[in-house]
């Protein structure tokens, strides 16, 4: 993954837990202290950081991934604000534009392996969201990402995972309920 992701993990840990915890986590994971946003790093570097964060902070991987999802909305909203502005002015519009958003990101990051999302069964106040990824095990991140987007747009969001790869699917499916806060 691009270094931008590891930068965000670093910033999240520093912001919420401070320098000492970050040092312990990155030492345990055996990574550098600084990541170059536009450089490619093996996915194992990110996986190692998440694993070490769990060990050092006494958390479960799903908790760390979910917290990271929420942080990612805040982090990319600050670092790529213009892209965010272009991607919708409401929660639902933004979710439907996530594929276009990553296509725009791909113009800057040609080696991106982005996720893709499909909205189905849409009725007022709810829809199902399918998350397709070349990677395994990142689905808890979607809970945080979607809740983070809800916060950004002042929308009350309730999300549950319905089924996924363990059910023989090639994607994960979520039920998303939303209403203006
Ligand atoms: C301007 C905003 C954003 C930028 C610049 C961005 C960029 C990226 C980058 C660099 C990666 C790593 C993939 C790779 O290096 O191959 C990534 C992955 C990912 N992004 Fe975004 N992203 C943005 C917003 C979002 C938002 C709002 C969501 C909310 C759903 C999202 C969902 C994901 C997910 C789930 C992944 C994990 C990759 C996977 O499933 O394989 N991103 N994105």
């Amino acid at each position: 993954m691009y270094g931008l992701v590891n930068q965000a993990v670093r910033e999240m840990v520093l912001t919420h837990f401070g320098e000492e915890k970050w040092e312990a986590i990155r030492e345990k994971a055996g990574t550098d202290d600084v990541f170059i946003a536009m450089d490619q790093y093996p996915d194992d570097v990110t996986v190692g950081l998440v694993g070490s964060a769990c060990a050092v902070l006494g958390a479960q991987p799903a908790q760390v991934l979910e917290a990271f999802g929420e942080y990612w909305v805040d982090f990319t909203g600050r670092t790529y604000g213009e892209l965010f502005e272009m991607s919708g002015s409401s929660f639902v519009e933004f979710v439907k534009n996530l594929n276009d958003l990553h296509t725009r990101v791909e113009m800057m990051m040609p080696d991106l392996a982005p996720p893709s999302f499909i909205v189905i069964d849409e009725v007022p106040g709810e829809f199902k969201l399918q998350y397709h990824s070349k990677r395994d095990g990142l689905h808890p991140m979607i809970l945080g990402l979607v809740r983070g987007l809800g916060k950004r747009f002042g929308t009350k969001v309730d999300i549950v995972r319905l089924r996924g790869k363990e059910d023989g699917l090639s994607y994960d499916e979520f039920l998303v309920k939303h209403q203006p806060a």
Side-chain angles (χ1 to χ4, degrees), residues 18-165:
E19 188 75 43
E20 219 171 279
K21 293 284 186 208
W22 166 248
E23 262 312 301
I25 289 167
R26 76 153 200 90
E27 236 173 63
K28 197 169 172 50
T31 72
D32 298 339
D33 184 33
V34 174
F35 302 98
I36 315 292
M38 295 297 175
D39 276 4
Q40 278 278 1
Y41 294 80
D43 280 9
D44 281 354
V45 172
T46 315
V47 171
L49 284 174
V50 171
S52 304
C54 289
V56 170
L57 303 172
Q60 294 299 314
Q63 288 176 299
V64 171
L65 287 170
E66 189 177 330
F68 181 67
E70 193 156 345
Y71 197 79
W72 186 242
V73 173
D74 175 63
F75 179 85
T76 55
R78 278 185 278 117
T79 47
Y80 290 89
E82 262 182 46
L83 262 180
F84 255 75
E85 299 303 319
M86 291 164 75
S87 299
S89 51
S90 73
F91 170 73
V92 176
E93 191 188 353
F94 198 98
V95 170
K96 288 180 176 171
N97 280 333
L98 281 170
N99 296 341
D100 287 347
L101 184 156
H102 282 101
T103 301
R104 292 198 183 98
V105 173
E106 248 174 324
M107 290 177 195
M108 298 178 281
M109 302 179 177
D111 296 321
L112 196 76
S116 66
F117 297 91
I118 301 175
V119 171
I120 59 159
D121 296 348
E122 190 183 3
V123 291
E126 72 176 64
F127 57 83
K128 284 187 192 141
L129 182 68
Q130 294 180 347
Y131 159 57
H132 295 253
S133 172
K134 295 187 184 74
R135 304 178 171 97
D136 287 322
L138 293 183
H139 59 80
M141 211 180 137
I142 303 300
L143 302 176
L145 283 162
V146 170
R147 287 187 189 125
L149 287 177
K151 277 191 191 154
R152 188 176 168 96
F153 290 103
T155 300
K156 199 170 163 292
V157 169
D158 186 38
I159 175 168
V160 287
R161 182 164 173 268
L162 298 175
R163 52 201 190 125
K165 292 186 176 172

